[in-house]
Amino acid sequence: MALAACPCGRPDARGRALAYADCCAPAHTGTRAAPDAETLMRSRYSAFVRGDAPYLLATWHASTRPASMDLEEGAKWLGLEIRQHRMTGADTAEVEFVARFRVAGRAVRQHELSRFVREDGRWYYVDGDVR
């Protein structure tokens, strides 16, 4: 029986999508923190797919985190493409991505350059510029 592929689409060494249990699930359950900003970005995308607003808020840096968030009702997430991941300092990084989804039959393509910071060994989303 094949395990369900992770929504983030991260491939294994053979180019096949990793199973959710082996990819983003450990971050979502708190058993393993994201080791880098790209992994955190992927886990946040998977949290959007799964409707996990508490995880999204917990991984958002306190300096920019909203008090609450409402996820898009009825969004159908179609895929994530990581365009670039680069360290910008010892504890800062940027991830450029494109996320595709549909809302009420309308296709949406979100192209963003997101900024991340590492504090006490954990990565957090800070903010991003939509392109």
Side-chain angles (χ1 to χ4, degrees):
M1 173 180 180
L3 296 174
C6 191
C8 83
R10 182 181 291 247
D12 66 13
R14 295 183 180 205
R16 297 177 299 214
L18 283 172
Y20 172 70
D22 298 325
C23 193
C24 291
H28 291 169
T29 61
T31 57
R32 184 177 67 226
D36 55 48
E38 178 183 345
T39 302
L40 181 63
M41 178 63 238
R42 288 179 175 281
S43 73
R44 287 175 57 82
Y45 173 84
S46 291
F48 274 103
V49 172
R50 298 171 60 80
D52 190 348
Y55 178 80
L56 293 165
L57 289 168
T59 57
W60 204 318
H61 193 265
S63 67
T64 57
R65 178 178 44 227
S68 65
M69 66 183 300
D70 295 321
L71 298 177
E72 193 76 50
E73 285 289 320
K76 176 164 176 44
W77 293 88
L78 304 172
L80 174 68
E81 174 192 351
I82 301 293
R83 295 244 173 121
Q84 180 181 21
H85 168 227
R86 69 183 189 101
M87 295 296 295
T88 56
D91 292 307
T92 57
E94 292 178 339
V95 178
E96 180 182 2
F97 71 91
V98 176
R100 295 179 305 106
F101 59 100
R102 282 194 172 287
V103 177
R106 184 177 61 91
V108 179
R109 180 181 178 273
Q110 180 164 335
H111 183 183
E112 183 174 312
L113 179 64
S114 295
R115 286 174 287 280
F116 296 83
V117 65
R118 180 172 43 200
E119 289 184 353
D120 299 323
R122 296 187 81 83
W123 284 98
Y124 295 92
Y125 169 78
V126 177
D127 61 15
D129 296 322
V130 176
R131 304 225 157 167

